[in-house]
Amino acid sequence: MRKQLQRVALVFTGYILFTALFPYSAIAQYTLDEKVSFVYINGTSTLHDWTAFVEQMKGSLQAEVEANHLVKINSVKISIPTTSLKSEKEAMDKNMYKALNSDRYPEITYQLKSHTIHNGTITTKGELTIAGVTKNIETKVTQKEAGKHIKIDGEVKLKMSDFNVKPPEFLFGAFKTGDEITIIFHFMFCEKK
């Protein structure tokens, strides 16, 4: 009996040491909360700077979380209907949809391929598809909390021409938008119940 108790005590001690040295990380599924998430696209033109925003988006994230810290991201997928991009001017929106060939390519998508996490900063590499053209992009994002919610903020600069998108023109070419755009995003992911 004494040997059995010693064996149980040894196994229990080993379990305690193992969990202390290698804490358990849970894999959780999250969905994008589009009510509090946002994406802005900032650009320039020969007339004035402009901003467009995204009205609708969907997304999912699968991650490993340990003690309210993001340990590993297993997957991220974001999709945005092309016609959910809105500016303050309807004419600009029409030109934007035409440039993005929205009839043929109704969605803009992003899929994470790899990442590294260091002191709350995440360097991501993923595939962004715009107007049917897929490009690998790398960006740094910050993760603000993990647990029931995961907040991710970041920005990335792109050129429309990299996606074979001709920058929109206005008034028969009298005004032209610049090729480079800056995308600023805030994503709030909520744990699925």
Side-chain angles (χ1 to χ4, degrees):
M1 182 72 171
R2 187 180 216 178
K3 285 184 179 180
Q4 285 178 333
L5 287 173
Q6 286 176 335
R7 205 172 289 141
V8 169
L10 188 62
V11 169
F12 183 72
T13 304
Y15 174 77
I16 296 296
L17 283 171
F18 182 81
T19 54
L21 293 172
F22 304 100
Y24 173 73
S25 60
I27 298 175
Q29 301 279 348
Y30 296 83
T31 52
L32 185 69
D33 184 347
E34 70 172 341
K35 291 179 183 176
V36 293
S37 300
F38 62 79
V39 177
Y40 290 107
I41 301 114
N42 293 327
T44 60
S45 77
T46 51
L47 183 61
H48 55 69
D49 292 351
W50 56 270
T51 297
F53 63 93
V54 172
E55 275 193 334
Q56 301 170 32
M57 62 186 111
K58 291 181 181 177
S60 63
L61 180 148
Q62 185 189 69
E64 294 179 28
V65 176
E66 176 185 297
N68 288 331
H69 287 89
L70 198 56
V71 176
K72 182 182 178 185
I73 304 172
N74 296 332
S75 68
V76 174
K77 292 180 181 176
I78 304 284
S79 65
I80 296 170
T82 306
T83 54
S84 76
L85 296 174
K86 302 291 180 184
S87 68
E88 294 179 348
K89 298 182 179 177
E90 190 177 335
M92 182 177 173
D93 293 348
K94 287 180 181 177
N95 283 336
M96 193 164 43
Y97 304 151
K98 184 178 177 182
L100 293 169
N101 202 353
S102 63
D103 290 340
R104 188 171 178 189
Y105 305 109
E107 280 193 330
I108 296 166
T109 62
Y110 174 82
Q111 185 166 343
L112 181 73
K113 291 299 178 184
S114 65
H115 73 286
T116 56
I117 301 174
H118 183 69
N119 293 333
T121 299
I122 307 168
T123 302
T124 63
K125 293 181 181 179
E127 291 182 345
L128 179 64
T129 302
I130 299 173
V133 176
T134 301
K135 293 285 182 182
N136 293 314
I137 63 164
E138 179 178 316
T139 188
K140 289 188 186 305
V141 300
T142 56
Q143 173 256 314
K144 293 189 175 177
E145 72 178 86
K148 298 288 183 189
H149 303 91
I150 294 177
K151 297 178 185 176
I152 294 177
D153 294 320
E155 76 173 58
V156 61
K157 292 183 185 297
L158 302 172
K159 287 186 176 179
M160 290 187 251
S161 57
D162 289 342
F163 294 87
N164 295 337
V165 173
K166 184 181 177 184
E169 299 178 353
F170 304 91
L171 296 176
F172 308 105
F175 302 105
K176 298 180 180 181
T177 57
D179 191 17
E180 188 173 87
I181 56 172
T182 301
I183 301 172
I184 299 166
F185 55 88
H186 167 79
F187 294 137
M188 166 77 90
F189 291 94
C190 302
E191 187 175 9
K192 281 185 181 179
K193 294 180 181 178

